[in-house]
Amino acid sequence: MVVAEVPKLASAAEYFFKLGVEGKRFRPTVLLLMATALNIHIPEPTAGGVGDTLTTDLRTRQQSIAEITEMIHVASLLHDDVLDDADKRRGISSLNAAMGNKLAVLAGDFLLSRACVGLAALKNTEVVSLLATVVEHLVTGETMQMTTSSEQRCSMEYYMQKTYYKTASLISNSCKAIALLAGQTAEVAMLAFEYGKHLGLAFQLIDDVLDFTGTSASLGKGSLSDIQHGIVTAPILFAMEEFPQLHAIVYQGFDNPENVDIALEYLGKSHGIQRTRELAMKHANLAAAAIESLPESNDEQIRKSRRALVDLTQRVITRNN
């Protein structure tokens, strides 16, 4: 899907898919598990073998959603790296550092356009609409992050909204798309959406913790990268509730390295890290509850996939990279 006629564009578009640094492949894994968890088995095929064809066709279409989701995700990373002027991504040179900003932006655009072609091929307007909304949310979230007022930077509500747009919208809407393709009811599609939303929020909250506690080697990006970019995340927001004097530091910004040190000192004295972990746990539990609310099934494959989805909610909060 990412093959391009122009060699330079092709190598840029394939950059993260070819280098063996695709990340955890977290999103496609979730989506393929969700597909199995929601697929109502079609009765044994008649002599014509129609049942088998339907099952295979549905699986192929759902796999296509997993591919499209990963392409949208990687496109957003390429664009984010240009905006953040990042020189590393997942422990290797970022595309903008390796090939320049212009090609990185075009490669991101190319991946998005390929994702659109893949979406159109599914011929399901509701699914197209869901994933088009995701792209809008990614842009909205990034703009919210770039244009925050001092009040907004100190608001947990604003922060969580931005986090939903930037991180959780993609996985929640993709999970819902998987359910719709399976012909599930609106209620089941909503449970799939809720699972993705809360899993995505838990994932990002743990990322926020790891930015302070993780090592550069395991994270694949320099620790403290958020605060050094002037981005205030959940641990600092919680610390501010305990130490109102931190507000003044956040208002001044973090261009001054001394302010970073002062903020870290307050964070160390506060329960900011612990409270962020607790909030992540709350969202992980809500994600698990959504799976447990799905209509019961005796099919072992379906039950196995649902157990794996619940298991993932715990893995997300106990990971250290």
Side-chain angles (χ1 to χ4, degrees):
M1 286 174 85
V2 298
V3 171
E5 288 171 36
V6 181
K8 197 82 176 163
L9 181 58
S11 56
E14 293 169 3
Y15 189 71
F16 283 128
F17 296 110
K18 278 278 173 73
L19 275 175
V21 287
E22 305 91 343
K24 293 174 269 291
R25 288 198 179 124
F26 173 70
R27 290 158 193 82
T29 303
V30 169
L31 293 172
L32 293 174
L33 284 171
M34 183 63 78
T36 308
L38 296 183
N39 290 351
I40 305 157
H41 276 235
I42 294 154
E44 284 303 303
T46 51
V50 180
D52 268 355
T53 316
L54 285 172
T55 312
T56 314
D57 182 50
L58 172 60
R59 185 69 182 185
T60 306
R61 286 157 66 78
Q62 289 172 322
Q63 188 171 319
S64 186
I65 292 285
E67 290 163 3
I68 288 162
T69 297
E70 194 66 358
M71 288 203 295
I72 293 172
H73 172 58
V74 171
S76 76
L77 299 183
L78 297 181
H79 286 168
D80 279 2
D81 284 349
V82 171
L83 291 169
D84 299 340
D85 214 7
D87 55 3
K88 281 269 186 289
R89 165 69 65 182
R90 296 168 180 167
I92 62 148
S93 192
S94 62
L95 183 62
N96 47 303
M99 296 187 185
N101 282 347
K102 290 177 183 175
L103 204 59
V105 169
L106 290 170
D109 291 347
F110 178 72
L111 288 178
L112 286 175
S113 60
R114 280 286 188 215
C116 290
V117 171
L119 266 178
L122 293 172
K123 296 183 171 61
N124 182 313
T125 49
E126 204 174 347
V127 167
V128 172
S129 179
L130 282 177
L131 286 153
T133 303
V134 167
V135 178
E136 180 193 330
H137 284 172
L138 287 168
V139 175
T140 305
E142 195 58 44
T143 310
M144 282 173 79
Q145 185 165 291
M146 284 165 57
T147 58
T148 43
S149 68
S150 296
E151 281 75 38
Q152 288 165 337
R153 287 175 81 209
C154 299
S155 159
M156 181 59 95
E157 194 183 336
Y158 185 89
Y159 172 73
M160 290 304 285
Q161 184 65 55
K162 181 199 76 179
T163 299
Y164 170 71
Y165 284 150
K166 279 193 59 140
T167 308
S169 173
L170 177 60
I171 193 72
S172 57
N173 283 294
S174 301
C175 283
K176 187 176 180 182
I178 292 283
L180 293 175
L181 285 179
Q184 287 287 359
T185 62
E187 289 79 5
V188 168
M190 203 57 213
L191 287 171
F193 176 90
E194 289 294 313
Y195 174 81
K197 173 185 161 183
H198 292 297
L199 188 74
L201 291 173
F203 189 94
Q204 186 55 48
L205 287 163
I206 293 301
D207 251 15
D208 295 345
V209 166
L210 292 174
D211 198 48
F212 291 105
T213 63
T215 60
S216 202
S218 70
L219 266 182
K221 63 174 182 175
S223 261
L224 307 179
S225 70
D226 285 335
I227 199 166
Q228 283 166 356
H229 280 102
I231 300 165
V232 178
T233 57
I236 295 286
L237 290 169
F238 280 129
M240 283 162 69
E241 287 179 23
E242 286 176 65
F243 298 102
Q245 52 270 54
L246 235 182
H247 274 83
I249 301 296
V250 172
Y251 277 127
Q252 286 171 29
F254 297 107
D255 292 342
N256 180 349
E258 278 179 33
N259 282 0
V260 174
D261 293 338
I262 296 167
L264 291 177
E265 198 180 319
Y266 278 118
L267 178 63
K269 287 190 283 190
S270 76
H271 296 92
I273 296 285
Q274 186 190 331
R275 287 179 71 190
T276 305
R277 282 193 185 278
E278 284 165 6
L279 183 59
M281 238 170 273
K282 182 183 143 192
H283 283 290
N285 291 338
L286 286 168
I291 296 299
E292 276 147 14
S293 303
L294 289 169
E296 285 194 22
S297 168
N298 294 323
D299 186 285
E300 190 45 43
Q301 279 300 101
I302 291 175
R303 290 166 73 132
K304 205 170 167 182
S305 293
R306 289 181 183 181
R307 281 197 299 272
L309 287 169
V310 171
D311 180 45
L312 263 179
T313 65
Q314 292 310 303
R315 285 202 192 198
V316 156
I317 53 177
T318 53
R319 70 198 169 96
N320 56 15
N321 65 18

